[in-house]
Each structure stands twice: as C-alpha cells, then as structure tokens.
C-alpha cells in the first residue's frame, strides 16, 4: 500500500501531502516481530486526532497510540483517571479516519481507560470491542498480576493486547505520584514476574514507563515474544514511545526530564517527528547518560 497524495481540505483542515518515502506495507504484528528480529527499533507516538495521526504516519512512525493521556493533553484533566471509554472511542475513530484518508499504514493502539476493564473479563472484552470497532488494531491496559487472566481472555478472542508496567498513570493516586518504579530489588523482581505472566497470557507488546534502564534492558532480553516499548525506561527496549505534545514542546506543564523537544531544531511538525523516528532508529534517543535513574 502506498501513501496517496491527499492535500485537499477536510473537515479537520488540510491534511499533509503524501510522503515520498515510506512505501511501506501496513504495519502488523508479524512485521513488528520481523523488525525486532532484524534489530530495528520500533517507533510509537501518541495521536488523538485525524491530522496529527496522518502526519505521524507520513513521518514513518510505525505505531500510533491513542493514549488516555488525551485526558491531560486534550481535555485539561489533572490525570488520566477521569477519561471515559466514550472519549477513547471518539478519539480512536478520529485517528482511524485520519489514517484511512491518507491510506496510512501505522498500527493503531488504543488505551482502555480507568474502570473500563477492572470489573470482569467480560467488561474488558466489551470495552475492547468498542475501541476495535472504532478502528483500533490493539488495546492497551495497565497493570500486572490481576490483569493477566484478562489479557488471556482478550487474546483468545482475537483482541491483540499491549500491556503497561512500571509507572501506570491510571493508578497514580495509589502509587503516590509519578515516580520511577522497580528501583529496589523486590519491586524489580515483581515487575519481572508480572512481565513474564503477561507474555504467557499473550500480550504482544509491553509499555515500560519510568523503569530503570538496566531493568528494562534485562526484561527486553527475557521477553522474546512481547516487544517492550519504553518511555523514560532507557535505550534497551525494542521500541520507544512519547506523548506527541511533549516531544513537540507544546504541553501545558513541565516536560518530564526523559523527553527531548524535537521541535527545537525542526522546521515543521512532520520534520520533528521524522527526527524522532531517525533518532530512535539510530540509537541516539533516548540517551541513557542523560536520564539514568
Ligand atoms: O496514555 C499514554 O499516552 C500512554 C503513554 C505515555 C505510553 O500510555
């Protein structure tokens, strides 16, 4: 599939011109596994609307995450706790339409928000179906231990799952703040056990947020079938993810220290995202020396 030239006005404004570069096939789980096998880093960025999703796709990002960070980024909420399933479905559908308009090829992941998968496996499946029907290829859920049976239930029913360990923002109140996780030996051991269970349950990806770099590197080596995607977790993961607004330097608060503002040296949003993709692929971002926990 190629990127067709779409420059006409849309209800969202003007979409970016087609990329002359990435004549890539649609990104799929086998394609991501091939990339990992070949030692190529996987890139992921959040997007919440049609236009930014199309720009990220054209810039070569493989995975687009409709993160529940949209609560802070788009809705002005203090945390992700207040994000609803309806809001996630709305933004997922917007992103999916944006990708469809430009014949985008990115793999689309949507977050199951707080409270949408906690009651029962059946509730999780209903919530996941809503996001898949809105256009997601995969859903992401936070936490380890109690989530493994839910992951297995979803995977057995054809829903690809990305897990999320380390700093899990939906439980920020239980964690006591946005802190690095897995720092002491017991916490690291528990994180490793949870990650292994999630892989056994069928999770195909695992976001590791704010985890010491040596721990996420070790986990990546341990998890052959589950691709680790780091955010504030060092350079040893199979891929990297950032919140788009953070890496463009347009967030409302202070950027976390592991974020680089790629807009600083770029002439355009697309240029900034291309710079991010190249920096991750070439191993220049993240720089472990800058944010060793
Ligand atoms: O919601 C989100 O944007 C996320 C990323 C920070 C991984 O979960």
């Amino acid at each position: 599939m190629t990127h067709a030239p779409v420059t006409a006005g849309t209800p969202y404004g003007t979409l970016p011109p087609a990329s002359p570069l990435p004549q890539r096939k649609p990104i799929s789980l086998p394609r991501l596994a091939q990339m990992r096998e070949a030692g190529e880093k996987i890139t992921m960025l959040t997007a919440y609307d049609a236009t930014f999703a199309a720009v990220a796709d054209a810039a070569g990002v493989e995975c687009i995450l409709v993160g529940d960070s949209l609560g802070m980024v788009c809705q002005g909420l203090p945390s992700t706790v207040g994000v609803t399933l309806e809001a996630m479905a709305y933004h997922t559908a917007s992103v999916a339409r944006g990708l469809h308009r430009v014949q985008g090829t990115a793999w689309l992941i949507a977050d199951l928000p707080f409270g949408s998968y906690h009651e029962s496996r059946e509730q999780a499946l209903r919530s996941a179906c809503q996001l898949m029907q809105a256009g997601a290829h995969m859903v992401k859920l936070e936490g380890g231990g109690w989530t493994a049976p839910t992951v297995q239930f979803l995977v057995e029913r054809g829903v690809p799952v990305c897990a999320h360990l380390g700093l899990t923002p939906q439980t920020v109140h239980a964690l006591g703040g946005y802190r690095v996780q897995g720092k002491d030996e017991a916490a690291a051991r528990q994180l490793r056990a949870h990650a292994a269970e999630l892989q056994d349950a069928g999770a195909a990806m695992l976001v590791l947020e704010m985890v010491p770099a040596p721990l996420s590197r070790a986990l990546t080596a341990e998890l052959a079938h589950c691709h680790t995607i780091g955010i504030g977790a060092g350079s040893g993961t199979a891929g990297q993810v950032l919140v788009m607004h953070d890496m463009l330097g347009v967030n409302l608060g202070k950027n976390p220290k592991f974020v680089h503002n790629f807009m600083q040296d770029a002439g355009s949003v697309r240029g900034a995202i291309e710079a991010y993709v190249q920096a991750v692929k070439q191993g220049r971002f993240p720089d472990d020396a800058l944010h060793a926990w």
Side-chain angles (χ1 to χ4, degrees):
M1 190 177 283
T2 57
H3 288 245
V6 177
T7 50
T10 74
Y12 310 104
T14 302
L15 289 173
S19 166
L21 294 172
Q23 301 268 315
R24 66 182 184 189
K25 293 201 175 118
I27 303 297
S28 59
L29 287 177
R31 175 69 196 122
L32 293 173
Q34 267 174 8
M35 285 177 62
R36 182 167 177 203
E37 184 77 22
E40 184 182 349
K41 295 279 185 186
I42 298 166
T43 58
M44 186 187 292
L45 262 190
T46 66
Y48 316 106
D49 66 25
T51 304
F52 278 92
V55 175
D57 188 279
V61 169
E62 283 96 16
C63 303
I64 292 181
L65 170 66
V66 185
D68 59 359
S69 50
L70 67 83
M72 282 109 111
V73 172
C74 304
Q75 300 178 319
L77 292 172
S79 74
T80 59
V81 174
V83 176
T84 63
L85 185 60
E86 288 64 36
M88 290 307 305
Y90 172 88
H91 286 276
T92 301
S94 303
V95 165
R97 282 193 297 269
L99 293 177
H100 182 71
R101 278 202 66 105
V102 295
Q103 295 183 305
T105 55
W107 178 253
L108 178 50
I109 306 161
D111 265 340
L112 284 168
F114 186 62
S116 72
Y117 56 98
H118 299 63
E119 277 171 34
S120 65
R121 301 177 310 174
E122 288 75 14
Q123 184 214 17
L125 181 62
R126 277 194 302 277
S127 302
C129 287
Q130 210 168 316
L131 299 184
M132 301 284 283
Q133 284 161 356
H137 302 131
M138 174 179 242
V139 298
K140 177 162 81 61
L141 53 78
E142 295 185 7
W146 68 274
T147 56
T150 302
V151 169
Q152 185 171 344
F153 190 76
L154 295 180
V155 171
E156 283 172 353
R157 283 154 184 79
V159 180
V161 177
C162 175
H164 185 152
L165 292 176
L167 171 63
T168 45
Q170 291 174 8
T171 49
V172 61
H173 300 306
L175 293 173
Y178 296 98
R179 301 163 196 276
V180 180
Q181 302 295 312
K183 268 174 107 169
D184 62 59
E185 216 177 291
R189 205 173 323 113
Q190 189 184 54
L191 214 145
R192 282 171 113 124
H194 284 166
E197 279 169 17
L198 287 162
Q199 172 172 266
D200 290 349
M205 274 196 210
L206 169 62
V207 166
L208 290 171
E209 181 162 357
M210 289 187 75
V211 166
L215 176 58
S216 58
R217 188 177 292 277
L219 272 168
T220 303
E222 283 164 20
L223 302 174
H225 307 297
C226 180
H227 315 312
T228 55
I229 308 291
I231 172 162
S235 64
T237 47
Q240 295 291 328
V241 58
L242 283 178
V243 170
M244 166 123 39
H245 292 57
D246 288 351
M247 57 80 77
L248 294 177
V250 291
N251 68 8
L252 296 175
K254 230 176 79 185
N255 251 354
K257 69 176 183 177
F258 55 79
V259 173
H260 178 73
N261 179 350
F262 285 90
M263 196 63 194
Q264 259 165 6
D265 304 314
S268 65
V269 169
R270 172 153 164 186
I273 299 175
E274 282 173 348
Y276 163 70
V277 170
Q278 287 316 310
V280 172
K281 301 248 180 233
Q282 293 165 9
R284 289 182 284 106
F285 178 83
D287 181 347
D288 289 345
L290 288 182
H291 49 79
W293 302 121

